[in-house]
């Protein structure tokens, strides 16, 4: 808002109206914030407590002075208030409201005015508390909260802009939605929980032993029923104002409750655990989703930004020693859920990666009706539903940061009978998906992408797929896996050839589930129409996570570290080859095959490194390890050159640019090339601050650099380390890094 000439009148000085007035007044962005309430006392209190600039006791007079009229009265009082406005000339005045249901407001306005005025901007702040009345008003009630505006197609753009800017001044984030959509969503997310809380407390209060019940009711009861203390009139009005959507929500809930009741009657443990597990993970998933959203929308709020983005602080020096079992392999974990879900029978997975990426896949399959228990200490039990047993998820499948999940699942989803939308976080939403969409379309899939082939992917079900032969333009295991997974459902044979070695976990695991896969040189093919049989999977420790510590031990004098049970699938061992070429001291022992994947204990001791020209054929074999290999290169004597790795530019971040920038910020001579980098190594890292760009591997790579630094390295935006390496800070500190998270005691 550019000028201070606006007069705002708030009609209804309850919790919401009072807080809105208070926030605007505190910001001093309006000429005047006036308040009216049918209870004169409330107006007086609002003046005394400084919520408003001036009282308004005569509605018509107040309205005539106002530029913006905010209706903050209970829903059913809305028509009466609108009727009073009819008597006043309203030209040039903007009207808005805060009601919880938008359909009934729009309908009342239509009936009274003949047509909904173009200057009426329906709104709904998603904020509040169980308290009510003017005395409960808080100046920062809306700070960091969402406000949904539901303008109609003919609503005046200036009016929308003005209302939006007023809410932004209150510290809120403004979204826009269609009226009906708003009412359906809010019926489920706000109205239903309130009615459940009211009903539960009422049921218990009517119980003869209610004294006893309330005396012994502990945290669960308190958490669940806090909102039963909310304003009865307001909720009465909402129940009637959004009656249809509320009834639908109550019916859905009743059906769910009936399902749980039957499971208990029938002692159906799988069903019960399925419900509880799904709910408990969905709750956690929802929390992180919310945090991520807060992170994206509160960049001006440095406290929130730091809390959610996480800054790593790495003190210089030290060495690594002892033994460290790094978390489970991400690629294998994703695939174990996908194939386990589609298998017949119960698949037990051990060593599952409890990182956010693999958890996103797990949650997606739960959303498609698969009962999955765990993870409990890395064990996941999947009750497979068979090749055709997935159900349509209730909404888009949110895959967070996980590119592998999106690319592999697009192949599976393209072959289902139902429609599905795949979405992701900001980083994933910028990553190229045409590499999988193009060949899937050739197979007969129906997929729409956003501009430039980016997510979300809107996949139409019920398509008949036909096998194709596809020569991959990039050496990508994700593309190959996607096509093989689609090929399981396609008519005839689906075959692929990659221009280089790509990780082969999909082929191996398909074979483990009893599905025939033909591998002939670099040609991999499957025929559609088979089935998967449940199996046992032992997920090796992730060589991509182990790589950080291989480099750590190699660059810090006196280091001697054992990394047990690491996957050494020959399509993943580029990092071992490259480090050995640089002079690293790495030895393998205890080599064995577990569930079709080779593993070994890896011992790494400090050895001076030398710069090399990295052989291009090793690039796909070490594709995820380059961030930390650049750190090794900076510590190596001489020059290291990487070429042929343009793929790094479209990973979770542009890893060539992100690493070159970070290395330069720490005083290293690093030159980004279109397809690689030249690093002149051999001197320590200077103290400094680097950006990880929300990329887990960039963050961890710079944490490792601290071992050879002269001062503190601060690494920003590290929350996504949890996507592949939960507990990284604790485990890294355990073996000798001096790492902490800003603002947290480690
Ligand atoms: C992965 C394959 C690689 C890798 C990613 C995981 C997989 O991607 O970078 O982290 O599990 O198939 P591309 O195959 O696209 O290179």
């Amino acid at each position: 808002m550019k000028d201070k000439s606006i007069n705002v009148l708030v009609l209804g000085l309850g919790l919401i109206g009072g807080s809105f007035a208070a926030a605007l007044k505190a910001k001093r962005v309006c000429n005047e914030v006036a308040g009216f309430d049918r209870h004169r006392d409330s107006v007086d209190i609002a003046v005394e407590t400084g919520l408003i600039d001036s009282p308004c006791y005569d509605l018509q007079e107040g309205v005539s002075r106002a530029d913006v009229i905010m209706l903050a009265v209970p829903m059913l009082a809305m028509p009466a208030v609108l009727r009073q406005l009819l008597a006043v000339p309203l030209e040039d005045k903007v009207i808005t409201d805060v009601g919880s249901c938008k359909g009934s407001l729009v309908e009342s306005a239509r009936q009274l005015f003949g047509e909904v005025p173009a200057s009426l901007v329906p709104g709904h702040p998603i904020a509040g508390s169980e308290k009510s009345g003017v005395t409960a008003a808080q100046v920062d009630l809306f700070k960091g909260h969402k406000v949904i505006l539901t303008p109609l197609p003919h609503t005046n753009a200036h009016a929308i802009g003005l209302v939006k800017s007023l809410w932004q001044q209150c510290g809120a984030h403004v979204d826009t939605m269609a009226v009906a959509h708003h009412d359906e969503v809010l019926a489920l997310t706000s109205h239903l929980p309130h009615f459940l809380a009211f009903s539960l407390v009422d049921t218990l209060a009517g119980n003869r032993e209610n004294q006893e019940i309330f005396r012994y009711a502990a945290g669960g009861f308190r958490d669940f029923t806090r909102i039963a203390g909310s304003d009865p009139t307001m909720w009465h009005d909402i129940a009637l104002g959004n009656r249809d959507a509320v009834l639908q929500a109550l019916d859905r809930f009743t059906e769910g409750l009936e399902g749980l009741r039957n499971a208990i009657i029938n002692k159906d443990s799988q069903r019960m655990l399925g419900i509880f597990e799904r709910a408990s993970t969905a709750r956690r998933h929802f929390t992180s989703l919310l945090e991520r959203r807060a992170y994206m929308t509160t960049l001006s709020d440095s406290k929130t930004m730091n809390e959610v983005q996480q800054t790593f602080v790495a003190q210089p020096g030290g060495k690594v020693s002892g033994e460290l079992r790094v978390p489970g392999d991400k690629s294998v974990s994703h695939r174990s859920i996908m194939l386990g879900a589609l298998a017949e029978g119960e698949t037990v997975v051990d060593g599952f990666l409890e990182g956010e990426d693999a958890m996103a896949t797990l949650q997606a399959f739960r959303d498609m009706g698969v009962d999955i228990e765990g993870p409990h200490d890395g064990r996941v039990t999947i009750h497979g539903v068979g090749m055709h047993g997935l159900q349509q998820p209730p909404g888009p499948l949110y895959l967070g940061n996980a590119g592998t999940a999106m690319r592999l699942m697009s192949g599976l989803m393209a072959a289902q009978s139902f429609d599905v939308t795949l979405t992701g976080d900001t980083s994933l939403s910028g990553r190229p998906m045409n590499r999988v969409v193009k060949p899937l379309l050739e197979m007969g899939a129906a997929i729409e992408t956003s501009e430039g082939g980016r997510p979300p992917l809107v996949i139409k079900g019920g398509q008949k797929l036909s096998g194709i032969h596809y020569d991959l333009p990039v050496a990508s295991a994700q593309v190959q896996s996607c096509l093989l997974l689609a090929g399981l459902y396609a008519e005839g044979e689906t075959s692929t050839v990659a221009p280089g070695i790509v990780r082969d976990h999909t082929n191996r695991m398909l074979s483990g589930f009893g599905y025939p896969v033909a591998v002939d040189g670099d040609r991999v093919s499957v025929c559609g129409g088979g089935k998967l049989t449940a199996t046992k999977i032992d997920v090796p420790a992730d060589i991509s996570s182990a790589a950080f510590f291989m480099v750590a031990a190699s660059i810090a004098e006196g280091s001697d570290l054992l990394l047990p049970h690491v996957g050494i699938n020959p399509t993943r061992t580029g990092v071992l080859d490259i480090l050995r070429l640089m002079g690293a001291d790495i030895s393998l022992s205890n080599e064995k095959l577990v569930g079709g994947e080779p593993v070994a204990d890896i011992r790494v001791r400090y050895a001076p490194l030398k710069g090399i020209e990295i052989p291009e054929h090793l690039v796909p074999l070490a594709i995820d390890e380059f961030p930390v290999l650049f750190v090794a290169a900076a510590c190596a004597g001489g020059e290291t050159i990487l070429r042929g790795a343009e793929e790094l530019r479209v990973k979770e971040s542009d890893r060539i640019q992100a690493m070159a920038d970070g290395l330069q910020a720490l005083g290293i001579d690093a030159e980004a090339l279109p397809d690689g980098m030249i690093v002149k190594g051999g001197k320590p890292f200077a103290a400094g601050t680097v950006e990880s760009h929300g990329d887990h591997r960039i963050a961890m790579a710079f944490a490792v650099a601290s071992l050879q630094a002269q001062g503190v390295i601060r690494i920003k935006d590290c929350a996504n380390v949890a996507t592949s390496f939960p507990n990284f800070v604790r485990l890294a500190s355990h073996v000798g890094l001096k790492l902490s998270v800003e603002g947290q005691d480690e």
Side-chain angles (χ1 to χ4, degrees):
M1 222 164 46
K2 291 187 189 62
D3 62 66
K4 288 190 168 190
S5 59
I6 305 243
N7 291 333
V8 175
L9 172 66
V10 180
L11 296 186
L13 293 169
L15 167 71
I16 301 288
S19 301
F20 179 73
L24 285 186
K25 179 169 177 275
K27 280 282 174 175
R28 298 181 186 286
V29 285
C30 305
N31 179 50
E32 179 188 67
V33 181
F36 173 88
D37 197 282
R38 71 193 166 94
H39 301 292
R40 222 189 140 91
D41 284 359
S42 296
V43 182
D44 295 339
I45 293 171
V47 175
E48 281 158 26
T49 51
L51 298 181
I52 54 177
D53 292 312
S54 35
C56 167
Y57 299 112
D58 177 339
L59 183 68
Q60 305 216 342
E61 190 263 334
V63 168
S64 65
R65 281 160 47 92
D67 303 297
V68 176
I69 301 156
M70 163 59 84
L71 309 176
V73 298
M75 289 300 306
L76 292 193
M78 216 57 106
V81 175
L82 287 174
R83 198 167 294 119
Q84 295 196 50
L85 295 186
L86 269 180
V88 192
L90 287 176
E91 64 277 354
D92 299 335
K93 295 191 193 302
V94 173
I95 308 170
T96 185
D97 82 310
V98 293
S100 293
C101 352
K102 303 320 320 164
S104 56
L105 170 88
V106 166
E107 199 37 49
S108 307
R110 188 173 288 127
Q111 280 176 14
L112 282 165
F113 291 89
E115 191 193 352
V116 181
S119 59
L120 172 64
V121 185
H124 177 205
I126 313 294
S129 91
E130 71 283 11
K131 305 199 182 83
S132 51
V134 69
T135 48
Q138 296 163 34
V139 69
D140 59 357
L141 185 68
F142 306 111
K143 196 163 170 226
H145 284 260
K146 289 212 179 294
V147 171
I148 302 172
L149 301 183
T150 63
L152 301 179
H154 70 277
T155 307
N156 181 312
H158 162 74
I160 301 172
L162 185 54
V163 173
K164 186 173 174 186
S165 83
L166 288 176
W167 280 117
Q168 286 168 339
Q169 292 296 337
C170 298
H173 307 292
V174 181
D175 283 346
T176 307
M177 254 187 209
V179 170
H181 187 213
H182 168 276
D183 286 359
E184 278 160 28
V185 170
L186 269 290
L188 290 164
T189 57
S190 166
H191 307 170
L192 178 64
H194 277 85
F195 298 134
L196 296 185
F198 281 125
S199 175
L200 174 68
V201 177
D202 182 50
T203 306
L204 296 194
N207 193 299
R208 280 179 46 226
E209 271 88 47
N210 69 40
Q211 289 293 343
E212 286 295 278
I213 290 171
F214 288 121
R215 183 169 309 131
Y216 295 110
F221 176 84
R222 199 173 45 233
D223 288 351
F224 187 81
T225 58
R226 176 180 60 78
I227 50 180
S230 302
D231 182 358
T233 311
M234 174 174 153
W235 285 98
H236 162 267
D237 289 7
I238 291 172
L240 297 182
N242 199 20
R243 193 160 160 265
D244 290 348
V246 163
L247 286 175
Q248 269 180 33
L250 282 169
D251 288 349
R252 262 174 79 174
F253 177 77
T254 310
E255 207 181 297
L257 195 60
E258 193 60 30
L260 176 58
R261 188 170 183 274
N262 285 335
I264 298 172
I265 290 175
N266 301 326
K267 299 188 180 156
D268 183 344
S269 298
Q270 183 183 327
R271 183 103 188 264
M272 271 188 273
L273 285 170
I275 296 170
F276 300 153
E277 293 273 0
R278 266 197 306 279
S280 134
T281 331
R283 182 67 178 79
R284 268 180 269 138
H285 186 64
F286 162 76
T287 312
S288 63
L289 209 118
L290 271 187
E291 281 172 358
R292 195 67 51 81
R293 205 168 279 162
Y295 146 62
M296 288 191 300
T297 50
T298 53
L299 291 180
S300 57
D301 180 340
S302 60
K303 181 162 176 281
T304 316
M305 190 171 83
N306 274 344
E307 272 169 12
V308 184
Q309 283 201 352
Q310 287 194 6
T311 297
F312 282 180
V313 181
Q315 302 293 334
K319 59 177 183 169
V320 288
S321 55
E323 188 175 314
L324 173 63
R325 168 129 186 188
V326 299
D329 188 282
K330 187 150 75 77
S331 294
V332 175
S333 296
H334 280 302
R335 288 159 171 82
S336 70
I337 297 292
M338 295 178 196
L339 298 191
L342 296 174
E344 286 171 20
E346 190 180 289
T347 291
V348 177
V349 183
D350 279 309
F352 184 79
L353 168 66
E354 298 185 30
E356 286 176 7
D357 274 14
M359 289 305 293
T361 295
L362 190 151
Q363 180 61 28
F365 280 85
R366 280 191 173 139
D367 287 346
M368 290 189 283
V370 183
D371 287 336
I372 306 175
E373 293 165 42
H376 302 300
D377 291 332
R379 171 166 287 203
V380 173
T381 306
I382 309 161
H383 299 272
V385 295
M387 294 300 288
H388 300 282
L390 295 178
Q391 293 161 20
Q392 179 158 33
L397 295 176
Y398 176 73
L399 300 172
N401 197 246
T404 308
M406 187 166 288
R407 297 215 176 102
L408 269 57
M409 284 179 63
S410 63
L412 288 178
M413 296 298 104
Q416 302 304 315
S417 58
F418 48 82
D419 299 348
V420 67
T421 298
L422 304 180
T423 69
D425 70 0
T426 322
S427 153
L428 183 53
S429 301
R431 295 183 67 187
M433 292 297 147
N434 271 343
R435 54 179 60 194
V436 287
V437 172
K438 185 175 161 287
L440 286 174
L441 294 180
E442 269 183 47
M443 292 177 79
I447 305 178
E448 280 172 26
T449 66
S450 257
E451 223 181 302
R454 316 275 164 200
L457 299 184
V458 181
I459 304 176
K460 209 166 160 30
Q463 310 299 310
K464 224 169 126 28
L465 303 187
S466 315
I468 56 166
H469 174 76
Y470 194 66
D471 288 312
L472 271 59
V474 275
S476 164
Q478 295 183 348
V479 178
Q480 185 178 65
S481 301
C482 163
L483 297 183
L484 294 176
L485 294 176
L488 303 181
Y489 291 89
E491 174 111 14
E493 188 192 57
T494 302
S495 58
T496 62
V497 171
I501 295 175
V502 297
R503 61 188 71 184
D504 62 359
H505 304 298
T506 306
N507 329 346
R508 286 177 189 253
M509 204 184 282
L510 278 170
S511 305
F513 276 88
Y515 203 105
V517 183
V519 181
D520 180 8
D522 52 6
R523 185 176 183 278
V524 185
S525 60
V526 291
C527 286
K531 67 171 190 151
L532 300 163
T533 307
T535 186
K536 213 179 137 14
I537 295 174
D538 182 346
V539 182
D542 197 329
I543 191 167
S544 298
S545 299
F548 296 102
F549 295 95
M550 294 183 207
V551 171
S554 301
I555 63 173
E557 231 174 305
S559 293
D560 185 351
L561 190 67
L562 186 69
L563 300 158
H565 205 71
V566 178
I568 51 159
N569 178 315
T571 61
R572 299 281 300 278
T573 45
V575 63
L576 297 177
D577 299 333
I578 294 169
L579 282 174
R580 279 177 169 151
L581 287 172
M582 295 175 83
D585 177 355
I586 301 177
S587 54
L588 269 52
S589 62
N590 211 3
E591 288 188 44
K592 56 185 173 202
L593 258 192
V594 291
E597 290 281 350
V599 299
D601 297 344
I602 300 180
R603 183 172 180 190
V604 188
R605 280 173 281 199
Y606 167 77
L609 300 182
K610 60 175 192 298
I612 60 163
E613 199 160 322
I614 297 175
E616 275 194 34
H617 74 272
L618 290 178
V619 169
L621 305 184
I623 193 68
D624 291 337
E625 284 67 77
F626 286 105
V628 79
L629 284 170
F630 292 140
V631 168
C635 300
E639 195 172 80
T640 295
I641 304 174
L642 172 71
R643 305 217 66 136
E646 51 276 273
E647 200 44 28
L648 293 180
R649 294 213 176 258
V650 288
K651 291 293 179 187
E652 284 83 329
S653 69
D654 175 343
R655 287 184 173 161
I656 293 178
Q657 203 54 51
M659 284 306 299
D661 290 348
L663 290 172
Q664 285 161 13
L666 301 179
I668 303 297
D669 186 349
E671 183 193 341
L673 306 171
D675 63 342
M677 201 183 308
I678 302 176
V679 182
K680 293 199 174 72
K683 60 174 188 169
F685 298 94
T689 298
V690 295
E691 296 286 344
S692 80
H693 299 278
D695 183 331
H696 53 138
R697 301 203 195 278
I698 304 287
M700 292 185 276
F702 283 116
V704 169
S706 65
L707 291 164
Q708 279 301 298
Q710 286 172 322
V712 174
I713 299 180
R714 297 178 80 250
I715 310 154
K716 297 177 82 172
D717 204 357
C718 295
N720 278 341
V721 165
T723 60
S724 68
F725 204 137
N727 300 321
F728 173 73
V729 172
R730 189 166 56 75
L731 294 175
S733 307
H734 175 72
V735 292
L737 267 82
K738 299 176 200 163
L739 194 59
S740 61
V741 180
E742 197 161 81
Q744 280 178 22
D745 298 329
E746 267 301 321

